[in-house]
């Protein structure tokens, strides 16, 4: 099982110790770094791989909100704080969950399971399908049924041959979970190459009749992928 590489950042040593112990109790989590100083965490992220950060919001050197603005979607976030009024602001970013201190292990475990849903595993990539959470339910989606994935603000629309699923996620995250016949063709679209009917320099026409724009930034890579098929 592929483990999720975790970072813990909190200006309270006892809070760090608690979260470190919690992480080590979850078999699919791996603690790779922890610090009381968010600046040190930024330096670590620049030079090392990580997936998920348990991040305190209120810290003197750098607030958790500003930390997320700097790092962006390079990581996924679970926010920790003693102040519930920060929850709404936190959810405007790529946040998986919000933990209110003091954090019981049961609540932490639920948060970790939510995080697991957002990361691909070796088993998932070997399968011909994956599960996504949409409208409060888990849905099994076969990869070969997906036409395209479209970014819609903080959500993505996974469009299949028969229906669509609105999921709280990012295109970057979905791109890592989809097999090699999917490619990013626009800042807002991932396309299933097997569903293309026609192509011109600006658009790809799918066999469903849907026209997908091809962005200038992605054009060279897109046409290279087509030549390699």
């Amino acid at each position: 099982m592929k483990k999720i590489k975790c970072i813990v950042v909190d200006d309270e040593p006892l809070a760090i110790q608690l979260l470190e112990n919690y992480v080590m109790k979850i078999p699919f989590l791996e603690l790779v770094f922890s610090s009381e100083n968010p600046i040190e965490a930024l330096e670590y992220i620049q030079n090392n791989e990580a997936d998920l950060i348990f991040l305190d919001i209120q810290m003197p050197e750098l607030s958790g909100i500003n930390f997320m603005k700097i790092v962006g979607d390079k990581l996924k976030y679970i926010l920790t704080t003693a102040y519930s009024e920060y929850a709404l602001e936190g959810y405007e970013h790529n946040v998986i969950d919000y933990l209110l201190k003091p954090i019981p292990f049961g609540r932490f475990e639920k948060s970790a399971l939510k995080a697991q849903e957002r990361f691909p595993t070796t088993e998932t990539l070997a399968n011909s399908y994956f599960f996504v959470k949409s409208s409060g339910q888990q849905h099994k989606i076969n990869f070969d049924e997906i036409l395209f994935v479209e970014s819609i603000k903080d959500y993505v629309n996974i469009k299949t041959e028969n229906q669509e699923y609105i999921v709280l996620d990012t295109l970057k995250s979905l791109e890592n979970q989809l097999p090699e016949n999917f490619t990013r063709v626009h800042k807002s679209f991932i396309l299933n190459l097997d569903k293309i009917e026609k192509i011109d320099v600006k658009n790809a026409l799918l066999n469903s009749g849907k026209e997908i724009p091809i962005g200038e930034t992605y054009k060279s890579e897109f046409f290279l992928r087509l030549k390699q098929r």
Side-chain angles (χ1 to χ4, degrees):
M1 179 175 61
K2 181 181 177 181
K3 291 193 175 185
I4 299 170
K5 295 182 178 180
C6 300
I7 294 174
V8 173
V9 179
D10 197 302
D11 63 336
E12 299 176 8
L14 290 178
I16 287 183
Q17 184 178 357
L18 177 71
L19 290 171
E20 287 176 340
N21 290 336
Y22 282 177
V23 168
M24 288 187 284
K25 290 180 179 179
I26 305 294
F28 55 82
L29 298 183
E30 177 187 0
L31 182 67
V32 295
F33 182 80
S34 63
S35 178
E36 299 171 37
N37 188 334
I39 306 301
E40 290 181 357
L42 289 176
E43 293 175 359
Y44 179 88
I45 293 165
Q46 288 177 348
N47 300 300
N48 300 274
E49 290 186 6
D51 304 308
L52 174 68
I53 182 168
F54 293 90
L55 179 65
D56 186 24
I57 293 180
Q58 197 171 50
M59 296 179 289
E61 294 89 354
L62 180 70
S63 74
I65 300 299
N66 287 331
F67 186 100
M68 291 191 292
K69 290 177 180 178
I70 294 171
V71 177
D73 62 2
K74 188 174 181 179
L75 295 176
K76 287 182 170 57
Y77 305 91
I78 293 177
L79 299 182
T80 64
T81 184
Y83 303 94
S84 59
E85 63 266 25
Y86 287 105
L88 181 60
E89 185 178 5
Y91 276 123
E92 293 175 359
H93 299 272
N94 186 26
V95 174
I96 291 175
D97 204 359
Y98 175 92
L99 296 175
L100 187 63
K101 299 177 181 179
I103 304 167
F105 178 71
R107 180 65 183 86
F108 179 91
E109 187 176 27
K110 287 182 180 179
S111 187
L113 290 170
K114 288 178 67 175
Q116 188 183 36
E117 294 174 1
R118 303 284 288 274
F119 289 95
T121 65
T122 302
E123 295 173 53
T124 299
L125 294 173
N127 287 334
S128 59
Y129 61 87
F130 68 161
F131 285 88
V132 298
K133 187 175 182 179
S134 179
S135 301
Q137 295 180 323
Q138 292 287 339
H139 299 269
K140 178 182 176 181
I141 303 178
N142 294 319
F143 292 137
D144 60 5
E145 294 179 354
I146 300 174
L147 301 174
F148 61 89
V149 182
E150 180 181 7
S151 175
I152 307 173
K153 294 185 177 180
D154 296 329
Y155 294 82
V156 293
N157 175 17
I158 302 174
K159 178 65 176 176
T160 70
E161 297 171 351
N162 299 312
Q163 62 188 99
E164 61 185 20
Y165 303 87
I166 305 300
V167 180
L168 180 60
D169 210 335
T170 65
L171 277 189
K172 185 178 180 67
S173 173
L174 264 294
E175 194 172 13
N176 292 331
Q177 298 179 59
L178 294 169
E180 291 187 355
N181 57 304
F182 288 83
T183 188
R184 187 83 166 261
V185 297
H186 188 274
K187 65 180 182 180
S188 299
F189 287 95
I190 295 173
L191 181 62
N192 185 346
L193 297 175
D194 295 336
K195 304 299 182 180
I196 296 175
E197 187 75 22
K198 296 179 182 178
I199 306 169
D200 60 36
V201 293
K202 292 185 178 181
N203 300 283
L205 181 66
L206 304 185
N207 51 23
S208 65
K210 172 70 174 180
E211 198 170 66
I212 304 294
I214 303 172
E216 287 294 328
T217 304
Y218 305 92
K219 186 174 294 184
S220 297
E221 177 67 20
F222 170 60
F223 283 105
L224 179 62
R225 290 284 306 277
L226 288 177
K227 287 181 182 178
Q228 294 172 342
R229 292 176 63 80

